[in-house]
Amino acid sequence: MDGGGSALTLAAPIDHVVIVGGGTAGWMTAAATAHVLANGRRRITLVESDDIGTIGVGEATIPPIRAFNARIGVDEAGFVAATGATFKLGIEFRGWGDRDGRYLHPFGDPGHDFSGVPFHQVWLKHRHRPDVGPLQRYWMSAVAADDARFDRPRADPSLPISQLNYAYHFDAGLYAAHLRRVAEAGGIRRVEGRVAAVDQHGENGHVTYLRLADGRLIDGDLFIDCSGFRSLLLGGTMAVPFQDWSHWLPCDRAVTVPSARRDPLLPVTRSTARTAGWQWRIPLQHRTGNGLVYSSAHLDEDAAAGMLMAGLDGPALGDPRPLSFRTGRRARFWHRNVVAIGLSAGFLEPLESTSIHLVQSGIQKLLALFPDRGFAPVEVDEYNRLMTAQFDAVRDFVILHYKANGRVGEPFWDALRTMAVPDSLASRINLFREKGRLFRYDDDLFSVASWVAVLTGQGIWPRGHDPLVDSLDDQRVLAALAGLADAYSRTAAAMPAHDRFVDYLRASAP
Ligand code: FAD
């Protein structure tokens, strides 16, 4: 019997968690930790500076956000009403492959497999037939998106609508305010003030307390750095190096502006490739969010602002606002008693709306490995391993969009099309080019279907298909494809228009 004795060796529990920063990352962390940790024994304090403010962008998300909201008890109707949210069924890419082309990267999966043969393989074999057509015909979220319709998925797997998957567009400031209400109701203490200095314990190098500009001291056992690009504690105090990815992801600036809402209310984020970057369009209830992400080595700020304004589809509701950033990540995310979550940990640019997800993922892993004051190295290492793998997997998927561009003759795009990519991405593209084969590895956030949508959407085609498809009965397969396309299109036609669904949900908010 050795199990009983080990408890005696455990270090003292964490009594006080301090979160530095009140942007989306800070308030998501506060709401989630309040839900799990706040009780009579543990204190949680969030420090934020009104003078410094937040980055104020981050409006498009991916489906796991729904599980996050549900876990912290956020009701969907109340959330949609409070944050100006709309529904998102995927991303429409314009001009990334052919200059005049478009494709959709929808959420969820297309069709179903055929006796174990992946759907996309069946489609690859028959796609040239006029009666088969694009992959998105067989993808519930894509068919609904093209019709600007929305409904919630149903659980019954025999119904096509069970294959719908969705996320949200929302106003980042309103979302942070919504989460603040949840966190404060859960017992989080908010302190307004600027952290001016950080004190470290000499012996083990742990952060012991923060000194605010007005002289107040905030001590703690665990410090969560949500200070944004400043990375005050992890990059600053702990001096954990930054791994720069700008040779793969060279965009380093954005200019943003809201414009008037334009109907129909589309349930997709739009990303339009431009001369030296790309422009996003995010439909909200009360406005449309727009931004141009670009490389400052290829475009100056005035030209970028002009390009953004010329690409709006409604009157601008303000002046263009510039932002700078650097793509990459910290070499470690957790060091001693500091864990970085959000932009302080790294940034991949917003092309696939993954930043808020990486915040959520960081929170979940921190809670799964929540330490005591011993900060067991084996647990810290595991957190770093998991987050590194997650960042790197997302990195490869984002780089794919640039690598696979078809914009020949534009210096920015030519350089990206011919660049050397990470080996992990190069081997995935090479495998796909052979017979269309793709696998979802443990750390992947994106599914095989997502990879197929982007690869083929941007003109990367395999030399052949999986030979197993040839053992299927072609006539049966074609009849099944026709049946699927028909079922998806009838299901979409029966859904409410997206704007009506949003109105209905708002009206039913508590
Ligand atoms: P911030 O919002 O910068 O918050 C930092 C906080 O730290 C603030 O409260 C600040 O006051 C505080 N702080 C800093 N220093 C101090 C100090 N010394 N003392 C006290 N407080 C301090 N993500 C998506 O998921 N989807 C998107 O569509 C998307 N679009 C984006 C577009 C662009 C151009 C950029 C740059 C980012 C985008 N992101 C997107 C990322 C998203 O904005 C961030 O991941 C998210 O907002 C989290 O930011 P944050 O909370 O880490 O940082």
Side-chain angles (χ1 to χ4, degrees):
M1 291 286 288
D2 59 357
S6 60
L8 296 173
T9 64
L10 288 179
I14 301 283
D15 284 333
H16 190 192
V17 178
V18 178
I19 301 166
V20 179
T24 309
W27 284 115
M28 281 178 77
T29 306
T33 48
H35 197 67
V36 177
L37 299 177
N39 54 39
R41 260 185 357 158
R42 233 179 237 113
R43 288 176 297 140
I44 305 177
T45 302
L46 183 145
V47 190
E48 67 175 321
S49 158
D50 288 344
D51 289 344
I52 295 174
T54 66
I55 188 139
V57 284
E59 307 194 315
T61 58
I62 56 175
I65 185 90
R66 285 160 44 209
F68 179 83
N69 280 351
R71 203 162 301 133
I72 61 171
V74 166
D75 158 79
E76 187 172 63
F79 155 81
V80 165
T83 64
T86 67
F87 294 91
K88 173 179 172 186
L89 293 172
I91 306 179
E92 181 196 45
F93 289 94
R94 290 188 170 192
W96 283 78
D98 288 345
R99 246 185 218 90
D100 302 321
R102 77 174 273 273
Y103 72 93
L104 210 58
H105 167 202
F107 295 138
D109 284 314
H112 56 67
D113 69 51
F114 286 78
S115 310
V117 179
F119 182 84
H120 78 271
Q121 290 287 356
V122 170
W123 172 75
L124 282 172
K125 174 173 176 181
H126 297 290
R127 69 189 171 89
H128 292 298
R129 296 178 57 108
D131 53 336
V132 171
L135 180 62
Q136 282 75 1
R137 275 187 80 197
Y138 309 94
W139 209 322
M140 189 67 258
S141 302
V143 178
D146 272 342
D147 250 3
R149 291 179 185 273
F150 183 78
D151 204 349
R152 286 197 181 113
R154 311 278 189 277
D156 180 349
S158 69
L159 299 174
I161 200 170
S162 66
Q163 285 174 277
L164 193 95
N165 202 359
Y166 71 93
Y168 309 105
H169 304 117
F170 54 63
D171 183 312
L174 296 177
Y175 185 53
H178 196 61
L179 292 176
R180 178 177 163 185
R181 284 191 289 274
V182 173
E184 288 186 327
I188 298 276
R189 182 173 69 114
R190 173 183 181 267
V191 173
E192 198 286 316
R194 188 172 61 81
V195 177
V198 180
D199 288 76
Q200 268 178 291
H201 191 272
E203 202 178 300
N204 60 10
H206 283 202
V207 170
T208 40
Y209 57 88
L210 310 175
R211 188 183 297 273
L212 303 191
D214 61 10
R216 280 176 292 168
L217 298 182
I218 297 178
D219 64 359
D221 306 312
L222 171 67
F223 290 82
I224 307 182
D225 182 351
C226 299
S227 64
F229 285 126
R230 285 175 184 79
S231 198
L232 201 67
L233 303 182
L234 191 78
T237 312
M238 294 295 172
V240 170
F242 185 80
Q243 294 190 353
D244 191 306
W245 287 343
S246 55
H247 49 297
W248 291 315
L249 299 169
C251 289
D252 59 351
R253 298 276 192 283
V255 54
T256 68
V257 75
S259 63
R261 169 173 163 164
R262 174 96 188 254
D263 286 330
L265 195 62
L266 300 178
V268 290
T269 304
R270 181 178 292 157
S271 162
T272 306
R274 302 271 187 231
T275 319
W278 59 278
Q279 183 160 342
W280 79 70
R281 178 189 186 279
I282 297 180
L284 304 180
Q285 291 170 33
H286 50 304
R287 61 172 168 82
T288 301
N290 307 278
L292 184 88
V293 174
Y294 66 98
S295 152
S296 61
H298 295 82
L299 199 66
D300 68 37
E301 194 176 303
D302 288 346
M307 201 176 282
L308 170 72
M309 299 304 262
L312 303 182
D313 61 7
L317 300 177
D319 293 325
R321 188 170 73 93
L323 286 167
S324 299
F325 56 83
R326 194 156 55 125
T327 51
R329 64 164 171 79
R330 294 284 151 191
R332 290 181 299 286
F333 305 99
W334 184 340
H335 189 63
R336 296 178 175 150
N337 64 339
V338 170
V339 183
I341 292 184
L343 297 173
S344 56
F347 183 55
L348 277 137
E349 82 151 78
L351 191 54
E352 282 283 351
S353 320
T354 44
S355 283
I356 290 173
H357 177 76
L358 289 167
V359 168
Q360 172 181 346
S361 176
I363 296 168
Q364 278 160 355
K365 290 176 178 58
L366 175 58
L367 290 175
L369 287 161
F370 197 75
D372 54 32
R373 280 193 248 172
F375 292 94
V378 67
E379 293 173 351
V380 173
D381 290 350
E382 181 64 0
Y383 181 89
N384 286 325
R385 191 187 67 75
L386 291 168
M387 288 308 293
T388 299
Q390 178 110 94
F391 261 84
D392 292 1
V394 173
R395 174 201 68 193
D396 281 6
F397 189 60
V398 173
I399 295 174
L400 169 68
H401 298 63
Y402 285 105
K403 176 73 181 167
N405 84 80
R407 300 180 70 95
V408 177
E410 292 172 274
F412 170 82
W413 294 102
D414 287 344
L416 287 163
R417 199 174 42 260
T418 50
M419 71 179 159
V421 296
D423 291 345
S424 44
L425 173 59
S427 57
R428 228 193 269 235
I429 295 175
N430 287 339
L431 185 68
F432 181 77
R433 278 192 201 277
E434 188 58 31
K435 291 194 192 64
R437 287 187 169 118
L438 287 163
F439 296 92
R440 187 171 192 164
Y441 305 113
D442 281 354
D443 302 310
D444 279 337
L445 176 57
F446 290 96
S447 66
V448 163
S450 291
W451 282 82
V452 176
V454 175
L455 283 159
T456 61
Q458 294 192 197
I460 296 198
W461 295 102
R463 293 191 311 117
H465 55 262
D466 186 334
L468 290 183
V469 181
D470 297 325
S471 49
L472 300 171
D473 178 333
D474 281 351
Q475 291 318 309
R476 281 191 160 171
V477 165
L478 291 170
L481 289 179
L484 281 172
D486 183 54
Y488 293 133
S489 106
R490 278 189 290 110
T491 302
M495 290 181 189
H498 177 217
D499 52 0
R500 290 196 47 197
F501 192 92
V502 170
D503 290 347
Y504 148 80
L505 208 60
R506 279 180 60 94
S508 66

